[in-house]
Amino acid sequence: MAGVSFVKGGVHPEEHKELTQHLPIEEMPPPKEVVLPLSMHFGAPAKPIVGKKQEVREGDPIAVVEKALGATIHSSVTGTVKAIEPRPHPIMVRCDAIIIERDPAAPPRQYESEDWRSLTREQLLGRVRDSGIVGLGGAGFPTHVKLSPPPAAKVDTLILNGAECEPYLTTDHRIMLEQPAKVIEGAKIILKTLGIKKCIIGVELNKPDAINALNKVLEKARRDDMSVSVQGMRVKYPQGSEKQLIFALTGRSVPGGGLPFDVAVIVQNISTTLAIFEAATMQKPLYEKVMTVSGRGVRRQANLKVKVGTVLSDVVDYLGGTTDDLVKIVTGGPMMGFAMSSLEVPVVKTTSGILFLGSKETDLSPHGPCIHCGWCIEACPMGLSPKEVGIYVEAGRGHLTEKFGVMECFECGCCAFVCPAKRPLVQFARLAKMDIKRRGA
Amino acid sequence: MMSHRGLLINQKFTAEGGKIETQDPRTPEMGAAWAVSVSPHIRKGFTTSQIMWTVIATLMPLLLMSIYNFGFRALLLTLVSVVSCLVVEAISQKLLGRPLSFRDGSAVLTGVLMAFVIPPGVPYWLPAIGAVAAIFINKELMGGLGFNVWNPALVGRALMMASFPVAMTAGWLPSRPFSEAAVPLTQYVYGGLDAVSQATPLNWMKQFGLQSMIEKFGGLDKVYLDFFVGYMPGCIGETSALLILIGGLVLLGMRIITWHIPVSNVVTVAALTWVFGGDTWFSGDPLIGVLSGGVMLGAFYMATDYVTSPTLKRGQIIFGIGVGALTVLIRLKGGYPEGVCYAILLMNCLTPALDEWFKPARFAPPKQAPVAAAGK
Amino acid sequence: MSVRALHTRVFLALAILVLLVSPVFADFVKDGSFGKDKSLVVDFGVPVDEAWGKDKANYKVFEKTDPDIVLPVESVSLDPKRLTAELTFKDPLNRSAEYVVEVKDIMSEGKAVGSGKFLVKKARAAVLFGIILAAMLINNFVFTKYLGLCIFFGVSQRKDTAIGMGITFTIVMCLTAIMCWALFRFVLEPLRLDFLKIIVFIGTTAIFVQAADTILRKVNPFLFKRLGVYLVLIVTNCIILAVPLINADSSHGPFESLSLGVGAGVGFAIALFLMACVREKLELCRVPRTFAGLPIAFVVTGLFALAFLGFSGLSLF
Amino acid sequence: MHSNIKLFWNGVIPENPIFRLALSMCPAVAVTTNVKNGLMLGLAVVFVQVCSSCTVAIFRSLIHPRIRIPAYVLIIALWVSVIDMVLPVIDIEIYKDVELFVKLIVVFAIIISRLELFASKEPLLPSFFDGAGMGVGFLFGLCLIGAIRELSGSGTILGHELLGFRPLLIMILPTGGFFVIGFIMAAFNYIEYKLTGKIPTSGGAH
Amino acid sequence: MKEILKITVSLTCVCISAALILGAVYTQTFEPRQRIEKKEKQEIINSLLGFGHGKERPKDFEVYPVNRYVIEDPEAGTLIGYVVPLKESQTALVRIDLAGKPAGVIPLKAKHEDLLDKLLLNSMVKTALPKNATATFAGTFYVADIQGKRYGYVLEGTTQGFKTFINMMVSLDAKLTVTGVAIVKSEEDPGLGDEIKQDFFKNQFVGKTLEMLAALKVVKDPLPSDYLDALVPARAKKAGLAPDKIEEIRKKHVKDDIYALTGATISSRAVTTGVQNTVSKFSKRFGILNSAIERKNLQIAF
């Protein structure tokens, strides 16, 4: 199968997926204590609905967003609320969090499955909303909002993002391989809520086993009128970025400042689809998370299913600690993830991986001046001029970079990845965007 | 609010005065034991200094060739040039309060290239003067590496040419196989140059025409072969088209340069030499046009300088064509026998404009164009 | 109307002007022309006999000012169709001089068809183009004649101002060059008042600029808004005075004067544009503080001048 | 009297028309290939500046404000024509080198700006000193640039062999002229920075 | 209205006074300027002929310009006309046909001092000729004479240099041997071709006779150092060479070819060709003119 791909830009980082792609998802035992930040989604922080010392059950809602954009947060363990206080957060510096001490005696909660086909669209949407599902690819956009597009947008295609183009990460790979049926059922649930018939699952060609597994399930389940297909994609970063993915699979270009439904498409992540499936069939809220723990800085690599709120130190302990070679800890992928300064950071809904990078895996050399090699321009999938943005920002003129399209930068990191001068081009773009917003306000 | 943009909420805007904080300032009080920096966390292997040193490495065969051709003078001149470039860079960086950057190899590269485009018979102190212009005036005053508009090595050469025209136009040495009497190497080093000074093919062509040049250098076949291999009088590093081609192909293979500038440049020179270079139209000898003088060195090593050539491919092709056209124009109609240096310098003037005209094709830009940047 | 549309219009107007003027050139084409360095090409109306055509005694060539010194023809080569003959001489010919070629008793098909005498000189169009090119690039007024520097440094900070100034200046330059030429040729020279030329030229320029300013303000307020700001500055630009003075000194005709004006104007515009591109880039550079602003602009101009040395000695025709 | 001397001095260094005000740059590059030319043109400028300043100062009440710019141009052109006719009598060889620029003094922004800013408002004596100061400042600038360029370009000063060889031919080419002015301007900036501690801003060129 | 009047009056005043001053200065400086401009050319000629620089010009030394015209006469065909000074400040136009035969002499109204005023001379020649004939000015050479004895000649010539034309003047003694070369106008590269103005180059032509010039070549050999000393007065002084010694060295090298300037062979060759052409044209023409004068038995001033 020849893979489709986006045309402009892109890079080929070393994949390092061999570290974890053969490892089955293993369930990590629940930790003693979980830290559940109130901000795990795009939108306003949730408000706690529990108080200190209150007892909560696994899966109970503990914080909600009532009016604004947001998603409900559920307790991931059975236990007692210990405190509600600021704690480190993987992306924001610090954030209010509900700390729950687990009751070691409580058994894990069991869910019963039912047939989702008997439910109406509204019921399905309601279950998704109640389960607090957000986009697990990274941005954390509340899924129930995404699944109810404005009526003007005539959505005709659902795209499942199985590209997983970030190096190291194998979460979606393992899910597709181990639970292909659930993923496809999930896709059908989404199709039903959207009232459309067509779904494309885009998978990069470096996961042939996942493609096979999905295809096998599809062959068996060809009886309903929904058409779900798997499309192989060339291995190229950032194949999994929304706009690039849509272009690769449908040939449609989402204009700058626009959203996928502007070109009649909705994109969902594989993990999100699995969560939707679990919410719709079992009414299980989102409080567990499959993530990749990888890198040569940790003793044992794994694809772990952990409770949301587990702090990194517990994960490290479970995997046997770090190695001496560890120089950097990153949540998320190595291209777009965030470096951690503390192991007290909890796993949140959007955490797709934790990387413990060894000295050979990351590059900490200081940056030099731009030599105008133009490699960043070639690498940029959006056709921007990152070098110019960098030079403007360094000269204190970040607000003048709109002409280079900096507002469309989604910080994929391709530019900085290829930059021979090791310039922090993504950071420059962020500063430029901030400057433009500040002056525009 | 939990997008990536949230990252910057607590972050000071630190882009004032050209200094940028690359360290992520989150939770400084925690004193992290490991590196905290902004994404991406993995990098491609090539660094600026690796690029520079690779280019220098591909130039070394040329240096050996010129030592064989012109004697140890060539090596000494190159050394003087490199050392003076390094010294000038170090002094100016100290004066201007910048960090020393000799390790990145850019000054060494400038030094090597500058030595390669001067005749082998010039006095030893000459490259030092070129280095001041190339490094201090052209580069450091403009803000250091990456900000210069003109190719440093060529600015150095142009300045030497304007300041010491006699040395720069008469300092030719015969290439070894051409010197009838075997000149001992010591003579190359310790003077006695006047006795053996010899015109370059282009000088000869400018004065007596193509036919006479071919006769002087021993018949067309011999001319092709010798020029290709590099047995002709000329600048230290530009005689051997073969070695330049090999070096250029290595750079192309390593993707340090792309084909756009060299190919468009060489093709333009060949085409225009063919059309205008002869006694009548379409009777010029394109091969001689390309092989003589600095066309090859210019195309592969000078015009492809990242800093001073356009970044976009389309701009690069225009740039290459421009360099080629100006080279032929100056050679055939201008005041100098060789035009590569000035052609590149002139096109360097246009680089900022070419960069402005040729922007990367955007991935579906916003339908409503944003309000044009301030200043309109 | 956008700036781009305005520029397009100005260029269209200039193009039409050139088209209107160009038929004038057609009259100057001769039946002989310069070949390579040392040769003249003679075109015949009929195929000539080979024996006759190759006999160098049949050609007599001399400089128009030296009819008594006949240039020795070294060799004659005839093209296969026997319609053109190329005469080669010992020494290179002086291309700005006029040569008289006399051809005796042209033999065609065995019959004598008469004699011919004609003048060979550089085509007028080539002369004019040469003047334009020289003023534009080879002797660029800014980079090699150091004129107009005040305005050059003053308005080269931004590209769009530079373009606006360049276009305005070129138009004004052409018009004043022609007007000053007419004044000098028809008023000052006949009356032997050429010592007044400074006052008259600057007065003409000032009056013209003032008039253009006033008319533009009324007739086309948009154009005025675009170009009006530069109009006032133009009066203090040396080039606007230097061009008529040079025209007067080298006794240029109307077309030569216009060509010099066009060349000077376009050359100035090119210099402004290039400088503006570089200066916009310079604003982003970490230029040492003591050099920021004008000093570095001077250094950059010096480097421009260094690059423009490449054009020195260029002669296209 | 003291204030007049101050006026004079002001034009020579603190507001030097070339290095500080950056006015009338063209001749500063063009004629300064040697000191003699610079001296000649500088003297011509002193003459024109002083005469024009005095003329305007005397007749300032008579010149109608609406026609003042044409009137100034006319006055300057007058004095330029005068000096243009007188100079060849003094030394024809140098005059030939600077001829075009003597004629171009008409459009030197420095002169008209002093008339507009100073002479049109002040009485004769201060106008004289202001004009003289500016003129001498211009002369000083031209001579300084000329001296540097002549010495480094031809190895001579005022035609006298000093070095016996030609150190840097580039200095008598336009490139060298631009470099020298740039570096002198930077030196002025540096000195001002050292003296006052202020970050210098070089004047706009008009 | 009153304002306009006021403006007009004041502008008129300015204009009138400006015109007055200018007129006064013009009339005052006209004479000296004319004189100086003439003197400049005179000085070049003098120094080429070996005067000035301490060597006083002898009394009765006169330099006469001879202007050449190309006359297109519909009846007589193309003629060459020379305006020659006659004795007692008379002038005449000597016409010679292309074959070298004299074709008549016409006396002119011009005085000797008018010979340098080209505009005036042009009109005089025009009026002296038949109505439908045209005369185009084609060049000047100068004849120097002391008390009726020809001392030397100064010729003007141009040649295609490396970049533009090189205007030069060549002086010959009575035997048509070169006594000096001056470069009047050139735009060669500074430091390279521009060196043609230097003594060590242009003095190489001194002493070359007609025959030597005809066979003269440019060689790229280095200039012998003794010759260099003898060519440059300043160096000769430094080396302590006596004038007769200088003469001796120069004589030794007089048959040498021209040593090219380093790096500027083209310019060197251009000047050499220019000198060759100028002198050979002159010698040919002057012979013809002389025989015509003899035949017509004219009382010429020189």
Side-chain angles (χ1 to χ4, degrees), chain B residues 161-162 165-166 169-170 194 199 204 206-208 335-337, chain E residues 162-163 189-192 195 220 222 262-266 269:
Chain B
M161 179 77 199
V166 172
T169 43
D194 282 357
W204 200 268
K206 188 97 187 169
Q207 278 186 45
F208 304 106
Y336 303 96
Chain E
F162 189 49
K163 290 187 172 172
D189 282 329
L192 276 179
E195 304 287 296
K220 286 181 83 179
T262 328
T265 323
I266 296 181
R269 199 169 284 140

Side-chain angles (χ1 to χ4, degrees), chain E residues 78-95:
Chain E
T78 311
L79 300 172
I80 307 292
Y82 295 95
V83 177
V84 291
L86 301 177
K87 289 224 159 75
E88 283 147 20
S89 204
Q90 299 290 309
T91 54
L93 178 68
V94 179
R95 291 187 295 174

Side-chain angles (χ1 to χ4, degrees), chain E residues 224-289:
Chain E
S225 62
D226 59 335
Y227 195 22
L228 177 64
D229 285 342
L231 287 174
V232 186
R235 288 185 73 110
K237 214 170 153 191
K238 223 180 193 173
L241 290 179
D244 51 335
K245 180 79 183 155
I246 295 177
E247 275 306 302
E248 193 188 308
I249 298 174
R250 283 193 176 190
K251 212 164 254 165
K252 190 176 100 191
H253 288 286
V254 77
K255 287 203 174 132
D256 289 7
D257 282 327
I258 299 297
Y259 296 97
L261 294 166
T262 328
T265 323
I266 296 181
S267 302
S268 318
R269 199 169 284 140
V271 176
T272 311
T273 323
V275 172
Q276 282 172 325
N277 284 344
T278 313
V279 176
S280 77
K281 277 183 191 173
F282 169 77
S283 65
K284 196 174 163 193
R285 280 181 185 145
F286 197 62
I288 293 170
L289 177 63

Side-chain angles (χ1 to χ4, degrees), chain A residues 87-127:
Chain A
R87 282 295 175 98
H89 185 279
I91 297 172
M92 306 169 71
V93 180
R94 287 176 90 76
C95 174
D96 276 341
I98 301 172
I99 297 111
I100 299 170
E101 198 169 4
R102 186 172 71 93
D103 174 7
R109 182 167 172 184
Q110 299 298 324
Y111 292 93
E112 276 173 24
S113 180
E114 58 178 304
D115 187 14
W116 57 273
R117 284 168 212 276
S118 58
L119 300 171
T120 62
R121 265 178 82 183
E122 284 70 30
Q123 280 172 314
L124 285 171
L125 260 181
R127 287 189 175 187

